[in-house]
Amino acid sequence: MAEAASTTSTQTAAEKLALIKHNLQEVLNEEIISEILNKNERPLKIYWGTATTGKPHCGYFVPMLKIAEFLAAGSEVTVLLADVHGFLDNLKAPIELIEHRAKYYNFCITETLQAVGVDVSRLKFVLGSSYQTTGSSGAKYFMDLLRLSTAVSGHDATKAGSEVVKQVESPPLSSQIYPLMQALDEEYLGVDAQFGGVDQRKIFTLAVEALPRVGFAKRAHLMNPLIPGLQEGGKMSSSDPDSKIDLIDAPDVVRKKMKKAFCPPKQVEGNGVLSFVEYVLLPASALRSADGKPRFVVPRRDAEPLEYTDIESMRADYLADVLQPQTLKPATTEALLEILAPIRKAFESNEEWKETEQKAYPPPPAPVQKKKKEKKIGTRFPGAAKNEAGEGTELEVQPDGSVKGPDAQEASVGKSTEEALEKLSLAAEGVQSS
């Protein structure tokens, strides 16, 4: 830590800015960041938020590696576990499970950051409900949310969330509240910049335009590119199990998914395997190496191994068919497993984390065996009633973290206001104590 602090103190404002912008696709209002860095009176304050819905996957390494670079540039970073946003996004995080999902995310993010060499003691973890729904801050937040709602049209709110909030034929009003809250979080977390994927650009633009209308400052916004999923087209997503690898997937599961990954020869665009090397494995190798330089090695059976320190030469070799899928996939798989190993080990040795995973993402119930109808001559005896057999009463957990079934609405938002607030309070206490 002392060495890191010393390195940060010798960096110029230009060097810090270059590190903050490294590998980003876009930066909005860069001048806000430059002014703070040039004044050098205090650290730049950045927040990254994630809704606690489906299980975190390997795509999360991309923001984790950027957080490492923000810290290396001397920034203060807040990780927002956005639990309230979870059920605003088309009820992806049922209120019954919200405490467990928040704890599960805390475990995953902490271990993922440590796996790529980040000192988590330098991070601040905040649960959204801790200031959005409780106490005097909750009342003030709600008032400011109402104020902000008068400054944003329904059309603009819908447009802002269109690439982030799950789209359905008749979207609930919560899909419009979601982007307003994400914008307002910038003010309540007291940051200079918000960081996220480029899919959040419309929410970031809304924040820039709308916050000054209610007397709050506009912030800068830092955007990561989205890495393609393992299947053709689209991004890594919790709603598509085949497109992603979970952080705690067993090695045999990782190998099986990587073997099926979309990786056509001599095609670099949309190639999820190549993109994963570019945005995860190369930067991670730099963080973990003694000299701070990236390095990715591809063993070959009948030739010398290929070694890469940049993605450009790797892309060129792939286009020229020097680097081929049958060698790239295994090399990527083994490099990924090396990073995942400490996360998996931490999970296996932590009974609380394993118990939390089961509570946060309960497995679907076993199919109910229907009772045989009892035959009685001269009657219409129907056998066991549906409720006795358990039919029509179970909730079915979806890959994205939501639930389906006759009681899905109640499970997602709570039976009453009091119950919802109690669940959110429990979640805040659970995360803070973990």
Side-chain angles (χ1 to χ4, degrees):
M1 279 297 296
E3 183 182 347
S6 174
T7 303
T8 301
S9 65
T10 61
Q11 289 175 324
T12 66
E15 289 171 336
K16 290 181 180 179
L17 182 61
L19 191 53
I20 288 167
K21 290 173 59 181
H22 177 248
N23 258 355
L24 292 179
Q25 182 164 325
E26 188 176 1
V27 178
L28 294 180
N29 298 309
E30 183 180 319
E31 68 279 1
I32 294 173
I33 297 173
S34 296
E35 182 180 357
I36 294 168
L37 295 178
N38 286 320
K39 283 185 177 179
N40 200 29
E41 295 173 349
R42 63 171 178 81
L44 180 73
K45 298 178 181 179
I46 303 171
Y47 106 78
W48 172 73
T50 178
T52 53
T53 54
K55 282 186 176 180
H57 50 73
C58 286
Y60 278 63
F61 277 116
V62 180
M64 298 301 103
L65 289 163
K66 273 313 303 178
I67 287 172
E69 291 183 322
F70 295 153
L71 291 171
S75 303
E76 288 183 3
V77 181
T78 296
V79 174
L80 174 66
L81 300 175
D83 53 344
V84 177
H85 282 82
F87 67 83
L88 287 177
D89 186 0
N90 206 38
L91 306 179
K92 281 186 182 178
I95 201 80
E96 291 291 333
L97 306 178
I98 209 163
E99 173 190 1
H100 308 302
R101 291 202 176 159
K103 286 182 69 175
Y104 183 78
Y105 265 67
N106 197 20
F107 278 123
C108 284
I109 291 169
T110 299
E111 291 298 334
T112 304
L113 286 165
Q114 290 178 336
V116 293
V118 177
D119 182 357
V120 294
S121 68
R122 299 176 60 197
L123 289 173
K124 181 181 180 183
F125 284 82
V126 176
L127 198 67
S129 58
S130 67
Y131 65 88
Q132 294 165 346
T133 63
T134 57
S136 58
S137 66
K140 186 173 182 293
Y141 187 93
F142 180 67
M143 190 66 234
D144 281 334
L145 183 60
L146 292 180
R147 292 174 60 230
L148 189 60
S149 72
T150 68
V152 178
S153 70
H155 172 270
D156 287 349
T158 299
K159 180 182 175 183
S162 61
E163 293 187 40
V164 177
V165 182
K166 184 177 180 180
Q167 298 301 297
V168 293
E169 188 174 341
S170 299
L173 186 60
S174 60
S175 64
Q176 296 182 338
I177 298 172
Y178 185 111
L180 297 187
M181 287 182 64
Q182 186 170 335
L184 192 57
D185 289 337
E186 295 179 356
E187 178 69 21
Y188 274 74
L189 294 172
V191 298
D192 308 302
Q194 184 181 172
F195 165 58
V198 72
D199 57 335
Q200 301 192 54
R201 191 184 194 284
K202 292 174 183 176
I203 294 181
F204 293 163
T205 302
L206 176 80
V208 169
E209 294 174 351
L211 288 180
R213 296 173 189 164
V214 291
F216 298 142
K218 69 178 180 181
R219 271 74 178 186
H221 295 89
L222 307 159
M223 283 167 274
N224 254 345
L226 300 178
I227 63 173
L230 297 180
Q231 299 303 308
E232 184 175 4
K235 62 178 182 178
M236 279 199 186
S237 169
S238 294
S239 60
D240 181 3
D242 290 331
S243 77
K244 48 93 180 185
I245 293 169
D246 286 342
L247 294 170
I248 60 169
D249 272 347
D252 59 329
V253 175
V254 175
R255 289 191 174 95
K256 185 177 179 181
K257 288 184 178 180
M258 284 299 299
K259 198 171 284 187
K260 296 191 300 181
F262 179 72
C263 187
K266 298 193 286 186
Q267 179 179 326
V268 298
E269 295 302 320
N271 189 320
V273 179
L274 266 180
S275 293
F276 194 80
V277 175
E278 178 180 4
Y279 291 106
V280 176
L281 298 180
L282 279 171
S285 68
L287 281 175
R288 302 168 82 205
S289 67
D291 59 6
K293 294 180 180 179
R295 182 171 175 265
F296 184 74
V297 178
V298 181
R300 294 188 293 175
R301 182 177 297 176
D302 301 318
E304 289 294 313
L306 299 170
E307 184 172 325
Y308 299 99
T309 57
D310 62 83
I311 195 63
E312 288 77 18
S313 57
M314 197 170 177
R315 283 171 173 261
D317 275 3
Y318 198 79
L319 284 169
D321 209 28
V322 174
L323 174 62
Q324 300 168 331
Q326 57 265 37
T327 51
L328 173 61
K329 279 188 179 184
T332 303
T333 302
E334 295 310 309
L336 172 58
L337 285 171
E338 187 179 343
I339 298 177
L340 290 176
I343 303 174
R344 181 73 190 178
K345 182 179 179 181
F347 173 72
E348 291 292 354
S349 63
N350 190 325
E351 291 302 320
E352 183 184 2
W353 188 0
K354 288 194 286 186
E355 184 180 336
T356 299
E357 188 256 349
Q358 289 296 306
K359 290 179 178 178
Y361 303 96
V368 177
Q369 295 265 340
K370 291 187 177 181
K371 291 184 179 179
K372 268 190 171 182
K373 292 183 179 180
E374 183 180 343
K375 294 181 180 179
K376 288 191 176 183
I377 298 174
T379 71
R380 293 184 181 179
F381 186 76
K386 283 188 177 181
N387 61 348
E388 291 177 6
E391 296 173 8
T393 61
E394 298 289 357
L395 292 173
E396 183 183 346
V397 181
Q398 303 301 298
D400 64 359
S402 61
V403 293
K404 283 187 177 179
D407 301 321
Q409 178 73 18
E410 185 178 285
S412 296
V413 302
K415 297 176 183 177
S416 65
T417 305
E418 291 74 21
E419 183 191 45
L421 288 171
E422 180 186 4
K423 295 289 184 184
L424 291 170
S425 298
L426 286 172
E429 291 170 8
V431 169
Q432 288 166 4
S433 63
S434 63

